[in-house]
Amino acid sequence: QSVLTQPPSASGTPGQRVTISCSGSGSNIGSNSVNWYQQLPGTAPKLLIYSNNQRPSGVPDRFSGSKSGTSASLAISGPQSEDEADYSCAAWDDSLNGPVFGGGTKLTVL
Amino acid sequence: QVQLQESGPGLVKPSETLSLTCTVSGGSINSYYWSWIRQPPGKGLEWIRYMYYTGTTNSNPSLKSRVSMSIDTSKNQFSLKLSSVTAADTAVYYCASGYDSLFQYWGQGVLVTVSS
């Protein structure tokens, strides 16, 4: 059971905007930044979004992040077939004194 | 560009100790925090432990009593030991660099199966 809660799956067409939610609590998302990771099949996670809404160099601008209160969201505007992957959120937890992750959301591009 | 590579046995017997090493290239181990993270098959990521080269360290409370971690600055490597393993410890184990929940560099991961 992951500390952060994500839906197990999400889907969309290249013409749609897909959002993936991440729900936490006051000790993690409520008081710390959220980071998002993309995990292509059979590969290691890759940092996708950091500090709630910042994209590392090389990440397409169709990916965006936001945070409000104890929840965060990852949005993909016009998902491409190469975006089919698992997406996980993460945040520092002040109670655990360590990072916590969501269970991951599998994105399917229709 | 920092690169990380895990190494260690892929099969460990129940009750024994799992030992993994992460070799760092393209950067000094005297920078960044270093972490171990695992992912059981079909499940989410779980943080195990982090360490800074000065020795500052912290563990996931659920694993703290069984985990140890060390850094060898002369070899640019860091290691993980997890004792008294059970089938529940079967997972892909990743080494990663970063602190807080921001992990910029990851190893490719190594699947460790606990089975007799």
Side-chain angles (χ1 to χ4, degrees), chain A residues 4-101:
Chain A
L4 305 181
T5 301
Q6 297 180 236
S9 64
S11 63
T13 67
Q16 293 178 320
R17 183 173 188 266
V18 178
T19 60
I20 297 172
S21 62
C22 175
S23 178
S25 67
S27 65
N28 42 65
I29 293 179
S31 50
N32 296 291
S33 296
V34 176
N35 304 300
W36 289 90
Y37 296 89
Q38 178 192 58
Q39 194 169 14
L40 297 170
T43 69
K46 167 193 166 186
L47 181 64
L48 188 70
I49 296 287
Y50 67 96
S51 297
N52 303 325
N53 54 20
Q54 302 299 303
R55 285 187 308 276
S57 174
V59 173
D61 60 7
R62 62 179 178 272
F63 292 96
S64 62
S66 63
K67 186 185 103 167
S68 178
T70 59
S71 295
S73 292
L74 173 70
I76 309 165
S77 298
Q80 304 300 301
S81 58
E82 61 263 33
D83 298 335
E84 287 201 333
D86 286 328
Y87 294 86
S88 297
C89 57
W92 184 264
D93 190 291
D94 294 332
S95 299
L96 182 72
N97 198 25
V100 291
F101 294 90

Side-chain angles (χ1 to χ4, degrees), chain B:
Chain B
Q1 176 83 353
V2 175
Q3 293 186 314
L4 307 176
Q5 177 69 58
E6 304 91 348
S7 59
L11 181 64
V12 181
K13 289 182 169 55
S15 80
E16 295 190 344
T17 295
L18 177 161
S19 296
L20 296 173
T21 296
C22 183
T23 301
V24 180
S25 59
S28 172
I29 205 160
N30 293 334
S31 303
Y32 309 106
Y33 279 75
W34 306 99
S35 293
W36 287 98
I37 296 164
R38 70 181 183 179
Q39 185 171 34
K43 296 187 178 181
L45 298 162
E46 179 184 34
W47 165 68
I48 300 171
R49 186 160 178 146
Y50 71 73
M51 178 176 274
Y52 194 51
Y53 80 98
T54 58
T56 300
T57 187
N58 193 31
S59 294
N60 189 320
S62 68
L63 300 169
K64 189 172 185 176
S65 64
R66 299 194 290 129
V67 172
S68 64
M69 185 174 172
S70 61
I71 290 179
D72 187 335
T73 55
S74 67
K75 295 181 179 179
N76 239 31
Q77 293 178 333
F78 60 101
S79 299
L80 173 76
K81 290 187 186 299
L82 179 65
S83 63
S84 305
V85 297
T86 69
D89 295 310
T90 293
V92 176
Y93 285 74
Y94 295 101
C95 57
S97 71
Y99 182 65
D100 196 284
S101 65
L102 200 168
F103 301 102
Q104 187 175 10
Y105 302 110
W106 295 71
Q108 65 184 28
V110 58
L111 173 63
V112 179
T113 301
V114 178
S115 176
S116 55

